[in-house]
Amino acid sequence: MASGKKVNHKRSRVKAKRTKVTHKGGTLIIIGGREDKTGEMRILKEVASRTDGGKMVIVTAASEVAEEVWNDYYNIFRKLGVKQIEHFYVNQPEDTLDKEHLFRGATTVFFTGGDQLKVTTKLGGTLVIDWMVEIFKNGGTLAGTSAGASIMGEVMLVGGENTESHKVGNWMMAPGLRFVENMIIDQHFAQRGRIGRLLGAVALNPGILGIGIDEGTAIIVEKDHFEIIGENAVYVIDGRGVTYTNISEASAEKTMSMHDIRLHVLADTEVFDLKLRRAIVPKPVDNSLKENPRPIDGD
């Protein structure tokens, strides 16, 4: 019989890592994919508004059809009022050397979808990341959709997706760009049935937060909190209190087991506190004053 790993409940809470953006002056807008591009476009409007009269750089490094994707987003963001937009695409890391001028004066960087490994292998360790971090440190916005969302974290998921129960050995992860620490992000979450692989990622490292973002939905990360915007849900998996998992003891084909995992499901306008690792419950609106306004002296 395969044995499981017993985890000390209190100790795991004490040693939980703090989730935070790497630079508090900036904003991350992390989109679960398939955001609205033709209707109200709430999410893309949010990205456009934060450009604030400056320059936007659209990064299509993840895409197999970079020109097509660039044209689509260029037209959308022009329609939303962004006047200065640059296209950044490279095939190899060496192609980045003469691209600094594209980022000069930029206030927003937007990563399109595609294959997240294409982004990290082309840009990781290059000066491009330094230029983006400088924008972020100076109060700029880094935004990304689909694959452009998963790269934001310290670690990203690149495999382990299927329709069956998650197996102990069915996972694959790679380093992300680390714009936010101690967070792993999964996109197209409910639509592609990805809860198993995100649970597996958190089981492997209970100190990180797992964030699953549905299509048409995003989180806006600022300082020690994030807010949800969009039509679907965001799922937060917190493994600090896990008391048992077989992830390190069972054979690879065994079904994964975890006990006492914590799950939050959040919807539009709700806020999650990254420091406290809990949702902030909105205060109820008091409509009594509207219905029965206080009389003004003299009336």
Side-chain angles (χ1 to χ4, degrees):
M1 179 189 295
S3 61
K5 184 178 180 182
K6 193 73 175 177
V7 181
N8 184 288
H9 184 80
K10 291 184 179 179
R11 183 182 296 173
S12 66
R13 286 191 179 278
V14 171
K15 291 188 175 181
K17 298 176 182 178
R18 182 176 173 186
T19 305
K20 59 182 180 179
V21 293
T22 50
H23 299 287
K24 289 191 174 184
T27 299
L28 300 177
I29 301 180
I30 308 174
I31 309 165
R34 291 188 178 274
E35 67 281 359
D36 175 19
K37 300 184 182 75
T38 58
E40 189 180 354
M41 297 191 287
R42 283 181 64 206
I43 294 171
L44 295 179
K45 277 182 182 176
E46 191 70 37
V47 177
S49 70
R50 290 170 185 270
T51 305
D52 195 25
K55 182 199 293 186
M56 174 185 288
V57 180
I58 296 177
V59 180
T60 60
S63 179
E64 292 279 0
V65 286
E67 282 298 324
E68 181 181 331
V69 171
W70 150 249
N71 285 329
D72 285 348
Y73 279 108
Y74 173 82
N75 290 327
I76 288 168
F77 283 118
R78 286 286 294 179
K79 183 178 179 180
L80 293 176
V82 182
K83 294 182 178 178
Q84 193 174 1
I85 308 174
E86 298 281 5
H87 182 201
F88 177 84
Y89 176 81
V90 292
N91 276 315
Q92 297 295 334
E94 63 183 14
D95 298 336
T96 65
L97 298 177
D98 61 347
K99 304 291 186 181
E100 183 177 5
H101 66 282
L102 296 177
F103 294 88
R104 201 170 294 130
T107 54
T108 301
V109 177
F110 181 81
F111 291 90
T112 68
D115 180 349
Q116 53 262 44
L117 279 176
K118 287 182 181 293
V119 180
T120 56
T121 55
K122 291 175 183 179
L123 304 186
T126 70
L127 287 173
V128 173
I129 303 303
D130 294 340
W131 302 332
M132 292 179 183
V133 167
E134 196 63 28
I135 293 168
F136 194 29
K137 285 170 66 175
N138 290 331
T141 296
L142 305 182
T145 183
S146 190
S150 62
I151 62 170
M152 297 285 181
E154 197 166 1
V155 181
M156 61 184 188
L157 282 158
V158 293
E161 184 176 356
N162 58 46
T163 57
E164 299 178 355
S165 297
H166 195 78
K167 307 301 181 186
V168 168
N170 186 20
W171 56 271
M172 186 182 295
M173 291 187 286
L177 296 183
R178 197 174 166 268
F179 296 132
V180 58
E181 295 177 338
N182 302 317
M183 180 187 288
I184 185 164
I185 299 153
D186 210 351
Q187 66 280 2
H188 306 285
F189 195 65
Q191 290 75 18
R192 298 189 185 177
R194 288 179 166 175
I195 191 165
R197 76 175 194 173
L198 189 57
L199 283 166
V202 174
L204 287 164
N205 188 349
I208 64 174
L209 272 181
I211 309 293
I213 308 175
D214 283 348
E215 293 176 357
T217 311
I219 61 172
I220 301 172
V221 189
E222 294 179 307
K223 297 182 180 178
D224 290 325
H225 69 277
F226 66 74
E227 180 177 352
I228 288 76
I229 177 173
E231 59 187 300
N232 292 309
V234 171
Y235 307 77
V236 182
I237 298 176
D238 185 354
R240 288 181 306 166
V242 168
T243 56
Y244 170 90
T245 175
N246 67 347
I247 198 77
S248 64
E249 304 296 330
S251 56
E253 72 277 4
K254 292 290 185 182
T255 298
M256 181 187 67
S257 173
M258 295 176 72
H259 300 176
D260 298 305
I261 191 80
R262 193 173 190 186
L263 173 67
H264 306 267
V265 183
L266 307 175
D268 188 36
T269 73
E270 293 186 324
V271 176
F272 189 84
D273 189 311
L274 291 169
K275 187 175 181 180
L276 299 176
R277 289 195 170 202
R278 66 187 183 200
I280 300 173
V281 179
K283 294 180 179 179
V285 177
D286 185 358
N287 291 318
S288 62
L289 291 178
K290 294 181 181 179
E291 296 171 1
N292 300 295
R294 179 182 296 179
I296 300 174
D297 289 345
D299 284 2

